[in-house]
Amino acid sequence: MLHKQEAGRQETVKIGMQGVHVYYGAYHALKGVEVAVPEKQVMAWIGPSGCGKSTCLKTINRMNDLVAGTRVTGTVTLDGEDVYDPRTDVTVLRRRAGMVFQKANPFPMSVYENVAYGPKIHGVRRRSQLDGVVEQSLRAAALWEEVKGRLKKPALGLSGGQQQRLCIARALAVQPEVLLMDEPTSALDPVSTLKIEELMHTLRKQYTVILVTHNLQQALRVADQTVFFLSGEVVESGSTKRLFESPRDDRTKRYLSGRFG
Amino acid sequence: MADKTLYQKKIRLGDGLLKGSIYAAAALTFTVLLGLMGYLLVRGLPHISWGFLSHTYSETDPQQNGILPMLLNTLYVVGITVLIAGPVGIASAVYLTQYAKQGRFVAIVRFAAEVLSGIPSILFGLFGYTVFCQLLRLGTSLLAGCLTMALCVLPTLIRTTEEALLSVPRLYTQGAMALGAGKLRVILGILLPNAMPGILTALVLTMGRIVGESAALLFTAGMSYGMPRGVFSHAMESGRTLTLHLYQTAREAATPDAMNVAFGTAAVLLILIFLLNRIAWLLGKVLKKGES
Ligand SMILES: Nc1ncnc2c1ncn2[C@@H]1O[C@H](COP(=O)(O)OP(=O)(O)O)[C@@H](O)[C@H]1O
Ligand SMILES: [Mg+2]
């Protein structure tokens, strides 16, 4: 699927959202969202708290399925295939679109077991193969050097920043194509935040990343594209540089200058 | 009113009275409980000996005043009942918390469990007698007793297991789901292992409950004090547990030192239950520590 970009370049759309509405019971949380996420780029989603960013993110890997009373309409596609098609295998979908949560949530197991959990459930059994995946994933999450001597130690003994990178490693271990990151640094100290931001720069070479953030500077630092959400709607989207330098919508302008949200 | 000093000038009478009565109530409770346990142990412990624990019993032969068959029957009932009620209880709790649509049906089941956990166990005994002993023709047997006991402990077991399952942080199950793990896998690999300390504690406390139960077994497992002859054949035989032995010896006073036997049995029961509670506590502590 091809999509015309502002710069005139043609890029592959990895994830498409057309007319997406989400209802929590009677509450209308998303009101016709349209987003095209280009492949192998980092796209930031910004907007005031409660505007529906997390909700929108969860429609992609169908984590909304787990919330009773949630209804989703419209189309969400991954590589052009409808995520909500009855034939969709949610297991495969979630393997291809990994998620990193706001609060680091390593399992109460060893560092090694945390990373190996995903590959194991997807059928990797051979020890040597698992060892390889674990090391590779931890390296990709820039955590290997810090934990290689304590792979058998409980993951909950790691620092907050390390735990979050462990969660990234855990997500990478199932070889996803997309990473959905919901405010991954909002609970971290500046040094850990910096490490994860640096990580984004390498991740974009291989993965399509959506980064929900309330930190505008972070969006500016790491995102190629930015989407501004407000009250369950997309107000404006475009290249990060363009959106920050010359916002077209007055509400975007006001939000960027810190006048609401 | 303009108070010139912050310090209290006098203790208010009402406060003093309230505090006094709370202390008195607590003191009374502890005295009674400790007195009760003390009395049972003082009367019972001297009678506990290796012979008491390792010999058989006879109502007609005063020389045979051991409790070995009763001890074995008690362990038998505990073991078989937990084997029956454990899996059923855990599976039901998993169903109620993970699969059942949270609504009317689950609410009714929870209500029923609550009511059932509160009704006198003699009613379970009556039910067990008519259904297992008569209808299913198991007769007065340990198997009928164990099935009745299983029904008796299930409501509480389900509720405590549910609590253990619900206390597992959603972050863990969500994390596993987001990696593409199926529901069953999340339940087996994440939910149950993390709820295990709570579930094991519930099981051990259930064992304590079974050790202490008498009414539900009275009609169903019966009163035979014969020595068990085989593990499987014993299921179809009648057998009295320690609590029933205590009841029977104290009531009939068939032999001259029947009261000694009764108190000795009481002390053994007390020790068993104390040990089980201790184990539950230790389990909770050790397993909790293991996870971080
Ligand atoms: N499970 C839910 N049930 C009901 N309302 C919800 C639920 N989750 C989120 N909401 C509501 O939907 C709106 C969007 O929430 P969310 O997507 O979490 O916003 P954001 O991530 O942008 O802060 C909020 O008003 C929130 O209160
Ligand atoms: Mg959010």
Side-chain angles (χ1 to χ4, degrees), chain B:
Chain B
M1 253 205 286
D3 285 326
K4 291 221 179 61
T5 168
L6 282 171
Y7 306 123
Q8 217 168 300
K9 270 160 265 164
K10 55 177 188 282
I11 294 169
R12 286 184 206 90
L13 187 63
D15 286 2
L17 269 178
L18 193 64
K19 203 166 156 186
S21 19
I22 289 171
Y23 274 65
L28 186 70
T29 313
F30 285 125
T31 316
V32 169
L33 283 180
L34 287 178
L36 179 84
M37 289 210 285
Y39 179 70
L40 287 176
L41 290 175
V42 165
R43 291 275 324 247
L45 281 181
H47 200 70
I48 299 180
S49 62
W50 177 241
F52 183 64
L53 296 175
S54 64
H55 279 83
T56 53
Y57 178 83
S58 168
E59 277 176 0
T60 50
D61 175 6
Q63 294 310 112
Q64 289 188 55
N65 61 1
I67 56 164
L68 182 61
M70 282 49 88
L71 201 54
L72 292 177
N73 286 338
T74 304
L75 298 179
Y76 196 89
V77 171
V78 169
I80 304 289
T81 305
V82 166
L83 277 183
I84 300 169
V88 175
I90 293 169
S92 310
V94 167
Y95 172 76
L96 286 175
T97 56
Q98 307 301 315
Y99 288 98
K101 206 155 169 273
Q102 302 299 312
R104 274 272 284 266
F105 173 69
V106 172
I108 290 171
V109 172
R110 290 228 169 86
F111 178 69
E114 209 143 316
V115 172
L116 282 176
S117 61
I119 71 170
S121 53
I122 189 89
L123 298 186
F124 281 98
L126 189 63
F127 177 81
Y129 178 70
T130 50
V131 173
F132 299 126
C133 300
Q134 296 191 316
L135 197 67
L136 296 179
R137 298 182 195 287
L138 293 176
T140 312
S141 64
L142 284 170
L143 183 58
C146 291
L147 289 167
T148 310
M149 243 1 273
L151 286 184
C152 207
V153 298
L154 260 178
T156 315
L157 189 56
I158 292 174
R159 281 191 35 188
T160 39
T161 307
E162 267 191 279
E163 266 162 42
L165 291 174
L166 291 175
S167 73
V168 176
R170 273 180 52 97
L171 279 173
Y172 296 164
T173 46
Q174 262 182 359
M177 292 268 189
L179 287 169
K183 188 156 192 168
L184 193 60
R185 200 185 279 279
V186 174
I187 290 171
L188 294 179
I190 302 285
L191 194 64
L192 283 176
N194 279 294
M196 215 24 95
I199 295 175
L200 285 180
T201 307
L203 281 176
V204 176
L205 290 175
T206 299
M207 292 182 183
R209 165 112 192 267
I210 302 167
V211 169
E213 183 56 53
S214 53
L217 295 170
L218 187 58
F219 302 145
T220 52
M223 280 294 182
S224 162
Y225 50 77
M227 190 65 191
R229 279 173 308 227
V231 174
F232 291 106
S233 60
H234 199 44
M236 296 313 292
E237 290 170 343
S238 158
R240 68 165 78 156
T241 57
L242 286 170
T243 46
L244 287 179
H245 191 53
L246 167 55
Y247 167 75
Q248 190 69 359
T249 47
R251 194 177 62 130
E252 301 267 294
T255 58
D257 70 345
M259 276 328 262
N260 286 337
V261 174
F263 275 108
T265 309
V268 171
L269 276 168
L270 214 58
I271 292 166
L272 265 182
I273 289 173
F274 172 78
L275 282 180
L276 284 172
N277 278 292
R278 196 68 202 165
I279 291 172
W281 180 79
L282 278 176
L283 266 180
K285 228 174 84 155
V286 169
L287 290 169
K288 281 246 161 60
K289 207 187 279 166
E291 75 192 29
S292 58

Side-chain angles (χ1 to χ4, degrees), chain A residues 24 27 29 47-56 58 67 70 182-183 212:
Chain A
Y24 291 117
Y27 182 71
S49 162
C51 66
K53 306 179 298 291
S54 298
T55 301
C56 199
K58 284 186 284 183
V67 184
T70 309
D182 195 351
E183 306 199 17
V212 172

